[in-house]
Amino acid sequence: MKKKFAASLMSVSILTASLGGSIFAAAPTTFKDLKNVAGQEKIQSLQEQGIIKGVSASSFAPNSLVTQAQAVQFISNGLGLASLELPDVDASQTAHDLFPAVKNDAWYAAAFLDAAQSGASIPTDVDPTAKITREAYVDYLMDTLKTAGNLPMINILVPEIADEDQFDIMSLGSTQLAIALEIVQLDADKKFHPQEEITRAEAAVMLYNAIDYMNQLKQPITILPIEEDGEMHILPIEVK
């Protein structure tokens, strides 16, 4: 269903959640448990936009682990997958057809269907109740981002990852791309810890960065002429 290679071997198409239940509710109350949490402002911004919600009106539970179902719902809401118009989609397929463990009446069924149709490489035997690793979350996010962004192919400078040997080779390229685009970051030792399960705070910050990157690339540019060595050249300038 998918073909993935390390970013050093290919050019990749790139893009410029609730963690369960409905994302549209009353005006959000500021989360009280984000003090000293990395990415606090980004998490709060996503809540204010109605993209994520907490486990209660005032609690986000940033250190809680994310399930497969929550991750897919998170990405689907954040990237607006339900509104994408994609070619060659079989409208007769249900989430259960694609993922036998996903019941069609589950709160996350639509998110799984939208994610699969948008290009996310979710295994067909996925257990929606299982926790998701950092590398798997990034793989879902970047696969979906490429389609949602509808951007041209580029080459990237492959980043150095100290624990690269701990990756599944099929998902390594997604993390390399995410690092190159500054959607995710390595720690001080240049490690990513791909097999660790991702927390709500980590997942939210990565999602915010992906959305921010997409929005930046959608900004219009103006083309200005410049003179260099007696010749006129065209220089693209981003309009802020």
Side-chain angles (χ1 to χ4, degrees):
M1 181 178 178
K2 66 170 184 173
K3 295 182 179 179
K4 303 180 66 69
F5 302 89
S8 58
L9 300 179
M10 70 170 185
S11 295
V12 285
S13 296
I14 66 167
L15 155 106
T16 16
S18 163
L19 290 180
S22 172
I23 63 171
F24 299 104
T29 301
T30 300
F31 292 136
K32 307 299 184 183
D33 57 352
L34 294 180
K35 185 177 181 180
N36 299 323
V37 173
Q40 174 184 353
E41 294 182 357
K42 294 179 179 181
I43 297 170
Q44 200 67 56
S45 175
L46 291 178
Q47 184 208 21
E48 292 169 357
Q49 296 175 64
I51 293 174
I52 63 172
K53 67 176 186 178
V55 297
S56 71
S58 60
S59 177
F60 182 67
N63 296 319
S64 295
L65 300 178
V66 180
T67 66
Q68 292 273 346
Q70 292 169 343
V72 172
Q73 183 74 57
F74 201 79
I75 294 170
S76 180
N77 285 347
L79 300 184
L81 302 187
S83 64
L84 291 182
E85 295 183 5
L86 302 170
D88 304 322
V89 170
D90 185 352
S92 68
Q93 288 185 316
T94 67
H96 184 68
D97 292 334
L98 297 173
F99 309 102
V102 175
K103 296 182 179 180
N104 288 328
D105 60 353
W107 59 264
Y108 47 78
F112 269 91
L113 184 59
D114 291 338
Q117 292 179 342
S118 71
S121 50
I122 302 171
T124 58
D125 62 350
V126 63
D127 176 359
T129 66
K131 300 298 189 295
I132 188 169
T133 63
R134 289 165 56 83
E135 73 167 346
Y137 180 81
V138 173
D139 199 36
Y140 292 2
L141 178 62
M142 298 309 294
D143 274 355
T144 308
L145 202 57
K146 295 169 192 174
T147 301
N150 190 29
L151 297 176
M153 299 176 69
I154 65 166
N155 288 314
I156 66 168
L157 180 63
V158 179
E160 176 187 350
I161 305 175
D163 54 355
E164 183 175 314
D165 60 333
Q166 297 180 25
F167 279 83
D168 178 341
I169 189 62
M170 299 299 288
S171 61
L172 175 59
S174 290
T175 300
Q176 290 173 327
L177 177 59
I179 294 169
L181 301 183
E182 300 183 349
I183 290 171
V184 306
Q185 294 182 338
L186 301 174
D187 67 14
D189 298 319
K190 293 189 176 181
K191 293 183 178 181
F192 184 70
H193 308 284
Q195 300 306 320
E196 290 185 4
E197 293 166 343
I198 197 168
T199 67
R200 286 166 59 94
E202 291 170 336
V205 169
M206 291 178 189
L207 179 63
Y208 178 96
N209 291 342
I211 296 170
D212 185 58
Y213 184 77
M214 177 172 61
N215 289 339
Q216 288 183 47
L217 289 183
K218 289 181 178 180
Q219 293 296 315
I221 61 172
T222 185
I223 306 300
L224 299 178
I226 62 171
E227 184 173 354
E228 183 176 304
D229 299 328
E231 297 181 359
M232 296 301 294
H233 303 271
I234 299 299
L235 177 68
I237 302 296
E238 182 177 350
V239 177
K240 298 293 186 181

